[in-house]
Amino acid sequence: MKATYRGCCAFSLMSAIALAAAPEARALHVAGAEGIFVAPSASKASLAFAPPSLAALAGTWNGAAEWKKEVADVETRTSAPLQITIAANGSISGAGNGCTFTGNVALGDGLRSFVSLVVHAAGCTDAAFNGDYRRARLERFGASTIVARLRKGDDDNEVSISARLANAAATPAPTGGFGALAGDWTGTVSWEAEARGQAQVEVNKTLSLSISAAGAVSGTGFGCVFTGAVSQNIASRSGVTGQVRAAGCENAVFNGEFSDVRLRVSRNGTRLQVHLSRESGETEASIEGALESGNAPTPPAADPDALAGTWGGNVGWLSISRDPTLAMAAIEPISFTIGSNGAFTGSGFGCAFAGQLTLSSNGRSVTAGAIMATGCTNAAFNGLYTPQFERDDGSLEIEFERESGGVKVKIAGKVRRT
């Protein structure tokens, strides 16, 4: 449910007018288990599969796994051990959660990922995990770790197993206690929810959590009272997993069990990154953001990606009409301010702008809005616009467009903070 920038802002005035330099070439970014892989544009041939180095995978790998299933829109997650043994010839055997696994490593992508065509599970404690996993990957990290991801089924009835596994020579993961997690945390976070027959919720509200050395969780926020517990799970990117229940919430859509719990402490130990989410039937809810250490919230630093602030620059003004007296193109300055509540005011080319934007919960994008222009030097630009905004590094690309009485007008270009 996260809000994203709507695509914009293709705009051409006339051959005689250039609004800005050509867009910069961008590399393709693909999320990976350890961060972001950056790959330049390439043909499929350059990404052809290469035989994997099975010697790097041979051995017995153990760890805790996250076992997730989604049946008829109901999602459940559990944690249970997983063991996978890979022979020198690529054959796979394994066990976990009652399952017995068999399979074979067949292909590699020439980097660090290794793909097994089919892994089969039988005898699982939960029969939903039995069957063929045709989307299975083993990825090698360092000298002693592999990440296993096994998935089968479709979007409505999908099961998956995810684990970070260590070989016998690896240093054991720490056990007992929650160290930097323990303590009191407070801050303002994003609360988002969708449910059939209800308006979508996107608000920023305070959340306070207390985590004990044993992993007990309690807290309050948006009228909710939270209770639950977390436990260590090296299969999770945050290192912990658990369940937290919310009750008595000001908006009842947030009441219930949050089974996807991720908590991560910053390196300096002063900030806790929180992600709580759940899906049940046709209801989705999530609570996400950063909490500060201590009982009182510390005001967060200004978000450089937020749209609130004052912007300005030279942009293109274009009027298109069959009547040549109404057609024109020009480069003129524009200046405007976006409030933290989405209020929009501005001026340019004689126009006075006023309107209201709907900002995403993190304030970084516009999901809806309307802007009225009055008093413009060229009357064709007076009227109500549907605006679009898109961030481009430190700049902001804008496009205001309207059409009335056979006249189409656009105001578009790139502006910067002033």
Side-chain angles (χ1 to χ4, degrees), residues 59-286:
T60 298
W61 306 82
N62 293 277
E66 180 182 74
W67 304 69
K68 172 185 170 183
K69 69 175 182 179
E70 184 171 346
V71 179
D73 292 328
V74 177
E75 180 182 296
T76 58
R77 298 171 187 255
T78 57
S79 180
L82 175 67
Q83 181 183 88
I84 292 178
T85 298
I86 304 172
N89 65 357
S91 64
I92 293 176
S93 61
N97 206 14
C99 306
T100 298
F101 293 96
T102 55
N104 190 72
V105 175
L107 295 174
D109 66 0
L111 297 173
R112 295 183 299 179
S113 298
F114 299 86
V115 179
S116 175
L117 292 180
V118 175
V119 173
H120 182 79
C124 300
T125 302
D126 185 336
F129 290 96
N130 291 332
D132 292 333
Y133 290 78
R134 298 186 180 275
R135 293 172 288 169
R137 186 177 75 179
L138 302 176
E139 190 167 0
R140 187 82 160 84
F141 287 92
S144 59
T145 302
I146 62 172
V147 171
R149 295 183 178 89
L150 315 177
R151 291 195 299 164
K152 73 180 183 76
D154 54 31
D155 292 339
D156 295 325
N157 296 280
E158 181 180 89
V159 301
S160 64
I161 306 168
S162 301
R164 187 176 294 268
L165 308 176
N167 64 20
T171 303
T175 58
F178 285 85
L181 281 180
D184 298 324
W185 306 89
T186 306
T188 300
V189 298
S190 169
W191 302 64
E192 301 184 12
E194 289 183 356
R196 176 180 284 275
Q198 299 184 37
Q200 181 174 330
V201 180
E202 286 188 359
V203 295
N204 294 324
K205 296 287 185 179
T206 300
L207 173 67
S208 296
L209 292 179
S210 293
I211 303 173
S212 74
V217 178
S218 61
T220 58
F222 203 9
C224 308
V225 175
F226 293 94
T227 55
V230 293
S231 58
Q232 290 183 329
N233 180 1
I234 63 172
S236 170
R237 289 185 180 181
S238 67
V240 300
T241 189
Q243 291 188 325
V244 174
R245 172 169 289 278
C249 299
E250 184 176 323
N251 189 317
V253 72
F254 290 100
N255 291 331
E257 194 85 22
F258 289 81
S259 57
D260 184 2
V261 177
R262 302 175 216 168
L263 305 173
R264 183 187 293 274
V265 179
S266 62
R267 290 185 178 181
N268 62 11
T270 62
R271 178 171 291 191
L272 177 69
Q273 197 68 34
V274 175
H275 173 93
L276 310 176
S277 67
R278 67 182 184 87
E279 296 183 22
S280 178
E282 296 180 334
T283 300
E284 298 180 17
S286 66

